Every structure is written in C-alpha cells, then in structure tokens.
Amino acid sequence: MAPLTSFASFDALFADTPAEYRQVFEGRLEHFRSQLEAPMRRLYGEREDFDHWLQRVVDVAASAAAERHHDLRVLDRQRLEEADWFQRSDMIGYTCYVDRFAGDLGKVVEKIPYLKELGVTYLHLLPVLAPREGENDGGYAIADYRRINPQFGAMEDLRWLAGELRRNGISLCLDLVCNHTADTHDWAIKAKAGESRYQDYYHLFPDRSLPDRFEATVAELFPQSAPGNFTYSSEMEAWVWTTFYGYQWDLNYSNPAVLVEMLSIMLDLANLGVEVFRLDAVIYMWKRLGTDCTNQPEVHSLLQVFRAILKIAAPAVLLKAEAMVTPQHLAKYLGLGESADLECHLGYHNVLMVALWASLAKGDVTLMGEILRTIPPIPAGTAWISYIRCHDDIGWSALEGTEPTEKAGGHDLLKELSDFYAGKLDSSFAAGRSFQVAPEHDVHGTNGTLAALTGFSEAVRLGDKAEIDFATRRILLLYAMIFGFGGIPLIYMGDEIGAPNDETYRGRSAEAGDGRWLHRPFMDWDAAEARHGPTTAQGRLFAGVQRLVKARKSAFALHAQASTRVVETGNDHVFGYLRRGARGAVLVLANFSAQPQTVARACLDQLGVSRQVYDWISGTTSCPDDSLCLEPYDSLWLEAANGDETGT
Ligand code: GLC
C-alpha cells in the first residue's frame, strides 16, 4: 500500500485544536484507511495521479475533523458507544418541506412541540440548500451547496435548528443532492463559459452519436415532461447528461475532483449538525455504455468512500440511500456480505411501499409476500426506512419485471393499479392521479396524498361517517405495517391529520408542470387543531397514529436488528410477518380486505405461543382458540404474553 499521507501535513489544520482532536483523527484514519483506500483504488486506481487524489480526500477529512465542534464530538462518541441508536423501536421519522411545514428554519424550531407530540425522533427536511431560480424540482436543482435557500434562512439558522432538534432528541436529516447540480451552479456557469476544468465536472458530448447509443439502453425518468436523458447547451455547443429535468446536470464522478467537492460539502454540513444524509438519486452516479446506467458497481464504491470518510471525520453521521430500484438491487445499498458496514446505514424500502399499495387495491397480499421474500436479509448494522409515501410519486416500476409481478398479471396488473389509484375503476376508493404517462408508456407513477389515496379526503368531504371509518382503518393498517416492519418508519407531513390533495400547484408556474405537487400540500395548522377533537375525523386519525407510535416505542422487539420473515397465514387477504431477535418476537398480522378475516390459530406456532398472546396495538391480552379474527383492515402485533413462551 502506498504511504497514505505524511501526518506532518496535518500540523497546520490541527494547530489551534486540543492535541486530543488530532490523536483521535489519526487513530481513526489509521483504523479505517483501508476502507477508504480500497474503493478509491477501484474507482481511480488506474490514474497516474491516484496518490494525489487519495491525499486530497484525506485532507478533506482532516480539515473537517479539525473543525468539528465539541458538542458534535461528544455525539460521535455517544453514537460509537450506542451504535444501534437508529435501529431502536423508539425511532419515528417525519419528513417535510421547510416552507410548507413552518415557513423558515427558525419557525421549524417552533414546531418541535408538535413533532414531540407525535413522538418524532428523526426529521428529514426536504431540500434546504440554495436552489436555482424558477423551476428547481422542489429544491433538487442546487445552485449553491454552501448557502441556504434565502427564503429559509442562513447556515447559522441551520446550525441552530440542528442543535435545538438534537437537544429535543430529534436527529436532523438533510438531502445531499449528489447526482446533479443546477445548470446555474457556479461549476455549470464556468463550464458554459468554456472552462475545461468545470466542463470535466459534467458529462458533455459534442454531438448525438454517443447520446444516441446511451439512449438505446437508458430509461426515461420523466418521459412526459422531460423526455430523453440529454439536453443541448448552445453556450457549449454540446449535449449535457440530464437524467431528470434539463436544468439538472449530472455530475461526472469518473473525475475524482467531483468526488472531493461532494465529500467536502457533506462534511461541512455534518459539522453544522446534520446527522443523516439522504443521498439523492444515487443509482445514477456512474454511467456505462450498453447498460441502463443505474446501479453500476462504481456507485457502490463511491458510497463506500462516503461511508469511510464519515467513519474517519464524523462517525455520528448516517447515510441513507435513495435508491428507487427493483428488489434485485435494493439491499445492496445497505451493503451485503463483504461490504456489510461499508455502505449506507439506511435505505428506503420502496419495494415494500409499492407492494403495500398493490395489496390495498387488490385486497390480496400474495404478490407482496412473494416479492418481499426475494429480498435478502440486510446486515445487522443497517435498517430500512419504511414508508407509505413520500414527496415523490408511487413508482410502479419497483415491481416491474419481477417474477411475482409477472405471475400476478405483469404490465396489466400495474396498469390496473395505476388506474385504481387514479379513481378510474368502479371498485376504487382512491382519488389520486397517474404521473408521467404517455401513449407509448401507460404506467409510470401515481400521485396523491395518503388521505386522497385511501378515500379519507372524499369521505370527509361528503361527511360519510361509515366511509371515514373505513378510510381511517386503511390508513392505520398501512402505518401498522410500516411501524412493525423494521427500521425507521417515516411519516410524510400532514398525512397524520389527513391532508387532502392540493390542486393549487397548477397556479404556480414553477410547479404547474409537475403533478407530484398534488401531494405536497402546505400544512394546514387550523385543520391540525382538529386533532384535539376526539370525535373529528382528523382527531380520530391523529389519535390512531399516536397510539401506534406509542405501541411501537414500547415494543422493543421491533428493533431493526430483529429479522423480518414473511409468514404464511393461510389467508390471501391477511399479510403476516414475524420479527424475531434478541429482544423477543412479534408476529404482525394485517387484514388488507374490507371484510373480517380469520387466520388459523396454528399461525401463532411461529411465536411459540401455547396460550396467551398480547397485542401491542390494542393493548389487550387474549387466549385465541381455533382461529384469530381480524376486523376489516385491522392489524395485530402479537407477542407471547408473559410466561407463555414455549421457547421455540
Ligand atoms: C429524487 C427526489 C426527487 C427528485 C429527483 C431528482 O428522486 O426524491 O424528488 O425529482 O431525485 O433530484
């Protein structure tokens, strides 16, 4: 192994810090240097200047480590000692837009009591860094990574907010939009002005020959509103790779300078108190001709570099992969086998999310069971982000092309689901809308808030009490599924009070062209007041969510280290999974149909229960005889009641 660095080069960086800071840093560097160097070598080892780039990465780590604030060092230590902190059953996540939830960063602090009322311990703020003017994909087109969106405040406000959240037991998660910048980012501006150094930050092509060859195998993300993957820049007389919108320029990670920039941005944000990074659109970070340019091995090497540098400079911090992929690729982002502990700590379980919606529409859980069984168990130090929906559409492609989906009807099934949630079928209770469908591409995604997609909004509008009850049950069923599943469950802002679709986006020019704004409503704090009313629809929903949160926090066995195994319930309408680990075992049963269902008592054998079971959700103990009965859309989290474990 080449000498990594002369430790003397750290003298200046650590000159004004206590000696201990440098010792800790050098210790970590020594310990983790191979975890940093190996993926760097896989990515850039062929280059003659490899040593230079490795040194640059180490310098970035050293400079961040020298600047890390005392409070965050304390956090680093705590988290190293309690490495499972994010896997515990008391973790509850919430995700929101700063402006839509509170106004600005300062006002988010004022909403901490609300978050605590709900039991939140993890807050993902959707993009807060300075975006391009005008259209910016909800902030996912960043013009300056070192400035906060001026509407939301300044970097110091972010530091303050992170500290306040931390003091209240809430970890701050921010997006690191690492796949692309805005076309108005300084690097892009310099590239347009002809600076070759910055042109090398992007993927540029002088003519269509290579873009056309890539297009033959690469899918389109927004086939309706941004077809194709390349955008012509008249300034450079070149085609730029733009996976998403034309104003989002994909970064070229085969240039190590790009990686160094992004690592430095990440560590500076970590030093402001960010505890989790949501690595946006990671699957697209490496391109290879002849492939679909997603999930390339180099993407995993890049993530391993991100992880290693955090271990060295800010070990309290977690990485979360936003990898919206099919089951075949999903778990790899959490590291499998030899790369366990080397990639992301967290990953969105988009397959579960999409399968939940499929099961709810069909009232049948066969497909979900079969598809989840194909996903390998994840490493012990990782966890899923389990969620019902997020700010993006429900992307049906997560199920596409898998054997279970083909068996269940393939494309026709996906089309049926898309139509169901767009309210086009007689059987539908949903009022969503299809996203990015075109004549030659009739299934893509579905938009709509949780309340709209479950029939809650419409029932409330009509004042139909029976339907409100049904819709509330559907929502709580979905929450019970994700709260039990393992990992950090994520509530999307407003869903807990049944926020309806927001049609007003059509009147805002930067949003009108993107149907996802339908399900990104502003928080209606007046409506939220109704959560205190025990008889209002919102009040009953909110209380139901709170009840599940409390149950989840108390059910220690739901810790993310417990395995999650899909179990046979003998009833196609009832989904079952067993969580089993060092803290006990919980059997989750969930009835996805509008009729009462029964499950044979033998199902409880999996818990090793001979007599009594305790249901964490209802807080009751029972002695089921021949069968267990589940009301419409009901769920149970069953654990052997005290003294009734037969030890199997
Ligand atoms: C992620 C975001 C999505 C955005 C895209 C491009 O998928 O969740 O909202 O459009 O990345 O940044």
Side-chain angles (χ1 to χ4, degrees):
M1 210 184 284
L4 193 56
T5 182
S6 125
F7 284 177
S9 73
F10 302 142
D11 286 353
L13 290 174
F14 288 91
D16 299 326
T17 66
E20 177 216 338
Y21 285 14
R22 180 171 172 167
Q23 280 160 14
V24 169
F25 170 73
E26 289 183 357
R28 287 190 188 135
L29 178 60
E30 252 180 76
H31 193 73
F32 294 115
R33 58 180 280 177
S34 60
Q35 292 185 16
L36 177 65
E37 187 168 347
M40 278 288 289
R41 218 168 258 292
R42 282 197 296 279
L43 290 162
Y44 310 114
E46 303 286 292
R47 298 176 63 110
E48 280 180 4
D49 58 357
F50 174 76
D51 287 347
H52 162 77
W53 290 109
L54 185 58
Q55 180 71 50
R56 289 282 306 275
V57 170
V58 170
D59 287 346
V60 164
S63 125
E67 279 163 21
R68 197 150 168 83
H69 190 275
H70 173 75
D71 291 355
L72 296 174
R73 289 171 189 281
V74 172
L75 189 71
D76 286 338
R77 258 206 311 272
Q78 279 170 3
R79 297 278 154 88
L80 287 171
E81 274 160 26
E82 299 181 46
D84 74 334
W85 67 275
F86 64 97
Q87 299 179 303
R88 297 178 184 168
S89 72
D90 63 358
M91 288 298 288
I92 301 288
Y94 194 83
T95 182
C96 63
Y97 286 96
V98 169
D99 51 346
R100 287 166 187 244
F101 182 63
D104 59 28
L105 292 174
K107 297 207 178 82
V108 173
V109 174
E110 292 168 22
K111 300 298 180 198
I112 289 178
Y114 177 79
L115 296 173
K116 290 182 82 168
E117 186 184 332
L118 198 52
V120 169
T121 57
Y122 164 109
L123 179 66
H124 168 214
L125 295 180
L126 285 145
V128 301
L129 302 181
R132 87 194 271 282
E133 302 270 315
E135 278 187 53
N136 56 38
D137 189 16
Y140 282 101
I142 302 220
D144 190 347
Y145 291 88
R146 300 194 184 272
R147 219 161 40 92
I148 294 289
N149 181 339
Q151 277 181 27
F152 301 168
M155 281 295 180
E156 277 316 302
D157 299 315
L158 182 68
R159 188 196 299 278
W160 180 60
L161 169 63
E164 288 302 307
L165 288 170
R166 199 162 56 246
R167 276 183 278 287
N168 281 282
I170 302 175
S171 295
L172 176 64
C173 167
L174 283 196
D175 279 274
L176 187 68
V177 184
C178 45
N179 177 65
H180 45 263
T181 72
D183 59 351
T184 55
H185 188 285
D186 198 43
W187 304 332
I189 291 172
K190 288 180 171 146
K192 284 187 230 174
E195 283 191 44
S196 64
R197 170 172 170 196
Y198 291 101
Q199 292 187 341
D200 289 346
Y201 275 34
Y202 300 98
H203 300 272
L204 303 183
F205 305 89
D207 56 46
R208 283 294 309 185
S209 55
L210 269 174
D212 285 344
R213 287 175 65 199
F214 275 113
E215 287 289 21
T217 50
V218 175
E220 290 174 311
L221 258 291
F222 298 141
Q224 197 188 42
S225 54
N229 286 282
F230 300 88
T231 303
Y232 189 68
S233 157
S234 51
E235 293 94 337
M236 297 183 291
E237 297 184 348
W239 292 87
V240 187
W241 198 305
T242 56
T243 298
F244 294 87
Y245 286 108
Y247 52 77
Q248 287 164 303
W249 290 16
D250 285 42
L251 285 164
N252 178 6
Y253 279 91
S254 68
N255 176 357
V258 170
L259 176 64
V260 170
E261 298 268 18
M262 205 45 80
L263 294 174
S264 159
I265 290 165
M266 177 175 77
L267 291 183
D268 286 350
L269 288 167
N271 277 355
L272 287 171
V274 176
E275 294 185 35
V276 184
F277 286 102
R278 174 188 181 276
L279 299 178
D280 183 62
V282 281
I283 64 171
Y284 306 102
M285 284 165 75
W286 200 273
K287 326 289 184 195
R288 176 167 282 113
L289 198 61
T291 71
D292 66 0
C293 294
T294 66
N295 306 308
Q296 295 300 306
E298 289 84 353
V299 169
H300 293 283
S301 296
L302 285 168
L303 293 178
Q304 291 172 18
V305 176
F306 279 83
R307 176 74 183 261
I309 201 159
L310 284 176
K311 286 184 181 178
I312 294 168
V317 177
L318 306 183
L319 293 177
K320 171 169 76 163
E322 194 246 349
M324 299 303 170
V325 288
T326 53
Q328 179 200 357
H329 294 289
L330 192 57
K332 290 183 195 153
Y333 286 86
L334 298 178
L336 288 176
E338 284 177 9
S339 54
D341 283 345
L342 297 183
E343 291 203 27
C344 294
H345 307 77
L346 296 164
Y348 284 87
H349 203 323
N350 70 310
V351 175
L352 172 66
M353 183 273 285
V354 179
L356 284 171
W357 288 108
S359 309
L360 190 67
K362 301 292 285 179
D364 186 300
V365 300
T366 317
L367 171 62
M368 177 155 65
E370 288 181 4
I371 215 152
L372 290 179
R373 280 195 180 97
T374 66
I375 298 184
I378 57 175
T382 64
W384 292 114
I385 293 288
S386 50
Y387 66 118
I388 305 174
R389 74 167 192 105
C390 65
H391 67 289
D392 287 328
D393 55 304
I394 299 167
W396 298 111
S397 63
L399 304 183
E400 216 164 11
T402 69
E403 225 182 282
T405 310
E406 287 310 311
K407 216 170 87 189
H411 179 83
D412 291 347
L413 168 76
L414 300 181
K415 172 83 170 85
E416 183 190 334
L417 295 171
S418 173
D419 286 347
F420 181 93
Y421 285 107
K424 289 187 188 155
L425 306 185
D426 288 345
S427 58
S428 175
F429 45 73
R433 207 159 294 147
S434 299
F435 181 55
Q436 297 290 330
V437 289
E440 67 290 359
H441 188 87
D442 59 0
V443 180
H444 188 89
T446 288
N447 293 324
T449 64
L450 177 56
L453 296 179
T454 51
F456 185 87
S457 312
E458 186 60 5
V460 169
R461 195 181 68 77
L462 298 172
D464 182 335
K465 289 209 167 107
E467 257 314 301
I468 293 176
D469 184 54
F470 258 109
T472 307
R473 285 166 169 274
R474 287 182 196 117
I475 294 177
L476 295 179
L477 166 86
L478 296 174
Y479 277 127
M481 280 289 297
I482 64 158
F483 283 9
F485 196 80
I488 305 180
L490 202 55
I491 299 171
Y492 183 85
M493 74 177 248
D495 281 350
E496 72 281 11
I497 52 161
N501 282 343
D502 176 16
E503 300 284 354
T504 63
Y505 78 95
R506 293 168 185 281
R508 289 186 286 275
S509 60
E511 297 168 14
D514 191 329
R516 291 174 298 173
W517 290 103
L518 181 71
H519 55 240
R520 301 167 178 174
F522 286 78
M523 188 75 173
D524 182 343
W525 288 104
D526 290 334
E529 279 307 302
R531 74 184 184 278
H532 299 303
T535 54
T536 60
Q538 286 89 347
R540 286 177 43 221
L541 174 57
F542 190 83
V545 178
Q546 260 183 330
R547 206 171 41 247
L548 282 172
V549 168
K550 282 201 185 107
R552 143 110 189 175
K553 284 182 185 254
S554 318
F556 300 119
L558 297 178
H559 191 288
Q561 280 172 6
S563 63
T564 304
R565 183 164 61 81
V566 177
V567 299
E568 209 37 78
T569 64
N571 182 329
D572 291 344
H573 309 289
V574 180
F575 194 70
Y577 60 85
L578 181 67
R579 305 291 322 282
R580 187 191 280 282
R583 296 161 189 82
V586 175
L587 176 68
V588 175
L589 295 174
N591 175 7
F592 276 75
S593 81
Q595 285 77 40
Q597 299 292 337
T598 53
V599 166
R601 199 200 173 287
C603 203
L604 293 182
D605 290 349
Q606 339 222 17
L607 275 180
V609 171
S610 58
R611 288 189 318 276
Q612 294 195 340
V613 279
Y614 177 70
D615 172 25
W616 282 99
I617 296 181
S618 62
T620 56
T621 303
S622 62
C623 274
D625 36 40
D626 285 350
S627 59
L628 282 158
C629 184
L630 287 101
E631 295 300 317
Y633 301 122
D634 202 10
S635 15
L636 308 170
W637 290 349
L638 302 175
E639 190 160 351
N642 275 347
D644 194 30
E645 182 104 42
T646 58
T648 51

